[in-house]
Amino acid sequence: MSETGPVLATTGLTVRYGGVLANTDISIRVDKHEVVGLIGPNGAGKTTFVDAVTGFTPARGTVSVAGRRIDRLAPHQRRLAGLARTWQAGELFTDLTVRQNIAVASGRGPLHNLWSDLTGRRGSGDDVDAAMELFGLQFVADRRPGELSLGRQKIVGVARALAGPTRALLLDEPAAGLDTDESAEFGGHVRAIAASGLAVLLIDHDMNLVADVCDRVYVLDYGAVIADGTPGEVLADPAVRTAYLGSELAHD
């Protein structure tokens, strides 16, 4: 992997649904050890962008991980290339333990992972244990998601995304539903992930979380980037505040 280039980069990423442009020429970069925010009002195209980057939505433009173009690859191939994501909706298996949920992302392939989860024979225990240790999940390893707080469930979801060949992590509104203390705790975990050498793209509406953990921020409005810079710079930008008129920024 190149040590000088971005870990995650997009160039001219464009998504069209019929005659509607959902994303227009979006170019971003996220470097190693960096947390980059992607913010914007509801309907700005943030999740569409994540879906396009990860291969779940057709798009024009380029996507690269560690200098390798992956935009022609299927979603599971992009995952193997080092691109991982979380989902807004709860994606944990309620009938599996925390350890088994995290183990889904490790191993040699989807069928091997399923077999490992069902039989308890894991081929990548080191990945699972490392992810659990990073987030302090060892003491809940044998519990099921329904026995955990919402904040802890969100952390399990992130841990699962990391239990594999991950270089870049996309977090899609991970703080939704968390209270102030849970959000602050989650932010500490995000910084720890970046410190370990990964590139993190954080999409969230929690402006305190974004301001606290992000090194840089891109702002989307109507599917296009309207500002980028440090959190302080973009949150003070008049164009950004206008885009958020009537929402969280307007009431600061």
Side-chain angles (χ1 to χ4, degrees):
M1 184 178 76
S2 170
E3 295 296 327
T4 57
V7 176
L8 173 65
T10 69
T11 303
L13 202 71
T14 299
V15 176
R16 181 185 295 273
Y17 296 124
V20 178
L21 279 172
N23 286 158
T24 306
D25 292 329
I26 299 178
S27 298
I28 70 164
R29 62 175 288 158
V30 187
D31 296 332
K32 187 176 181 180
H33 296 296
E34 194 174 33
V35 180
V36 172
L38 182 67
I39 67 173
N42 288 327
K46 302 182 297 296
T47 295
T48 296
F49 175 76
V50 174
D51 288 343
V53 170
T54 52
F56 291 94
T57 293
R60 291 190 292 105
T62 67
V63 180
S64 64
V65 172
R68 175 193 174 191
R69 278 192 64 174
I70 63 169
D71 45 88
R72 296 185 180 91
L73 301 181
H76 73 280
Q77 293 172 316
R78 300 187 194 200
R79 179 67 188 94
L80 293 173
L83 185 63
R85 71 171 293 180
T86 62
W87 302 81
Q88 287 186 27
E91 74 276 17
L92 299 178
F93 296 103
T94 58
D95 56 341
L96 298 180
T97 66
V98 167
R99 176 182 288 277
Q100 290 169 333
N101 266 281
I102 296 173
V104 168
S106 63
R108 294 170 294 195
L111 292 178
H112 177 266
N113 291 333
L114 178 60
W115 172 253
S116 298
D117 293 335
L118 294 175
T119 64
R121 302 172 190 169
R122 295 180 304 279
S124 298
D126 289 346
D127 281 352
V128 175
D129 290 338
M132 290 188 6
E133 183 175 356
L134 177 63
F135 294 103
L137 295 172
Q138 305 96 317
F139 72 99
V140 295
D142 296 324
R143 296 186 186 179
R144 286 175 168 74
E147 302 174 51
L148 308 179
S149 68
L150 176 61
R152 191 67 64 183
Q153 290 179 42
K154 294 290 184 80
I155 290 171
V156 173
V158 176
R160 189 172 74 173
L162 292 179
T166 304
R167 291 178 169 178
L169 176 63
L170 282 64
L171 300 174
D172 192 2
E173 298 194 18
L178 302 186
D179 62 30
T180 301
D181 291 338
E182 289 175 325
S183 180
E185 179 186 2
F186 187 84
H189 289 304
V190 173
R191 287 305 321 176
I193 293 168
S196 73
L198 273 65
V200 180
L201 183 68
L202 171 67
I203 299 92
D204 214 279
H205 286 288
D206 185 335
M207 292 303 156
N208 289 327
L209 175 65
V210 169
D212 287 344
V213 307
C214 291
D215 300 293
R216 294 184 295 110
V217 178
Y218 293 93
V219 185
L220 288 187
D221 193 26
Y222 294 104
V225 175
I226 62 170
D228 67 271
T230 66
E233 290 169 344
V234 301
L235 295 178
D237 189 314
V240 175
R241 301 185 75 86
T242 297
Y244 272 99
L245 189 63
S247 64
E248 53 264 56
L249 289 186
H251 302 292
D252 286 352

